Amino acid sequence: MPKDGTATKELILDCTQELVYERGFSATTLDLVLEKAKLTKGAFFHHFKSKDDLATSLIERYLIGEAMLLNSLVERAEQVTRDPLQQVLAMIGFLIDDIDTGGPLSKGCLFASYAFELAEFDENVRALSKRGFTKWREVIGDKFEKAMEKYQPKIPVSAMDLTENMLASFEGGIVIFRMEGSPHIISHSMIAFRNYVSLLFDAD
Amino acid sequence: MPKDGTATKELILDCTQELVYERGFSATTLDLVLEKAKLTKGAFFHHFKSKDDLATSLIERYLIGEAMLLNSLVERAEQVTRDPLQQVLAMIGFLIDDIDTGGPLSKGCLFASYAFELAEFDENVRALSKRGFTKWREVIGDKFEKAMEKYQPKIPVSAMDLTENMLASFEGGIVIFRMEGSPHIISHSMIAFRNYVSLLFDAD
DNA sequence: ATTAAAACATACTAAAAGGTATGTCAATAC
DNA sequence: GTATTGACATACCTTTTAGTATGTTTTAAT
């Protein structure tokens, strides 16, 4: 058996993701990727069937990472407290930490990047992108529903509302970040949402 | 004097904006635009020097529209009440109305679309995009500062924080909207921010 | 009516993009 | 050591895309 090429494939995906964050997927040409990775066409088409395959592989890898992060957040939050509301607040806190310490979320969100050129992707990639959101909605939505069985919000809102608001707060931070440059805006946005939830349920 | 071509130019800009919302600017080829507008290359390059010029003209037109909308919001809010906090809440209400009645904001946000492929644009376009955000920040920020001279927030936050949170709430709604399809999510996100401000200052 | 000039259409060009064909090298099993 | 196979590099091809060159139509002032 010959040598291992998985490192090269990961390198291509890394370089692609960085470029996608900067200029979107369509403008991320293979030449740009290969220049950044210091590789050639031969290397690329050995690991990927096409540019579409690259888009698919990238979002698939991203989905795995996000799922792991989400699981980690839930697990850590459940170790802190048994109260579902406090668990959500803790999860937001962990997210803020991740962003402020230069974690993966401080670099951007591939779901958001893809969302702004959805029509360019095939049905499979679109489905995968949406699945990312769905996963977060299910997990966070569950926590909010349990929280609302226990506590009454001061203003009538649904668990689904809160869940979408949380995702929107994060993604909105990403947009401002892309425009302004400082990832701290992302955590600021999450802090605001945490404040909102705190006030809404009179927590803390 | 020959006939008037401004309608054609506007048509090209309209078609471009729709396509940019769907697939981003880079993937919006001139052929796609001209097919949608039922025009030809000749028409395009008569009105625009280049595709870069198209990007510039599009964001310039968008900036003018946004500035008018913002002025309208402020004027209407100032007619409703003299209280700066209530003015902000009123402005958010008007925004929600605009979105729910199929206004321009329910179609997308060009600042956000551009933000995800910033590296593809020249310095001029980047500056114009940022100016859009800056304008909103100045106007809304001013209202929040005056509101905080009068009222104490229950949780310590700055006027700039709130301003950025408001913009992030809107843009976050846009991201989810792009992914899911229903523009109502945008207004839901704005409602959540309005709730936040209400709770924060004990308004209503 | 003539004409000038803007408002387009048509046909083409050049370069950039994705993709292919083919070859070389390196690691491992035998 | 040799053969085999994956991991790349190089050179080329093809299509797409922005852009150009040139021609035709339309409008309105004279």
Side-chain angles (χ1 to χ4, degrees), chain B residues 21-94:
Chain B
Y21 281 161
E22 291 169 7
R23 55 215 310 142
F25 185 79
S26 297
T28 297
T29 67
L30 301 184
D31 286 340
L32 272 172
V33 172
L34 295 170
E35 183 191 17
K36 195 181 187 78
K38 296 191 188 299
L39 292 167
T40 60
K41 286 275 170 74
F44 180 84
F45 283 99
H46 176 74
H47 292 287
F48 302 95
K49 285 192 311 224
S50 63
K51 200 194 173 189
D52 279 5
D53 185 31
L54 176 64
T56 308
S57 299
L58 191 64
I59 192 74
E60 278 175 346
R61 188 184 71 156
Y62 191 79
L63 267 171
I64 293 170
E66 287 279 283
M68 280 171 50
L69 173 65
L70 183 55
N71 280 338
S72 158
L73 290 176
V74 172
E75 272 182 29
R76 283 191 283 167
E78 287 174 348
Q79 270 170 356
V80 169
T81 170
R82 296 194 68 79
D83 184 276
L85 179 59
Q86 290 301 324
Q87 283 174 0
V88 172
L89 293 172
M91 286 175 70
I92 298 171
F94 296 144

Side-chain angles (χ1 to χ4, degrees), chain A residues 4-50:
Chain A
D4 186 23
T6 54
T8 304
K9 187 166 184 177
E10 288 297 306
L11 174 65
I12 293 175
L13 288 171
D14 290 343
C15 293
T16 303
Q17 188 161 327
E18 268 190 59
L19 287 164
V20 169
Y21 281 162
E22 291 168 6
R23 51 212 316 140
F25 185 79
S26 297
T28 297
T29 67
L30 301 184
D31 286 340
L32 271 172
V33 172
L34 295 169
E35 183 191 19
K36 194 181 185 78
K38 293 191 190 301
L39 292 167
T40 61
K41 287 273 171 77
F44 179 84
F45 284 98
H46 176 73
H47 292 287
F48 303 94
K49 285 193 310 228
S50 62

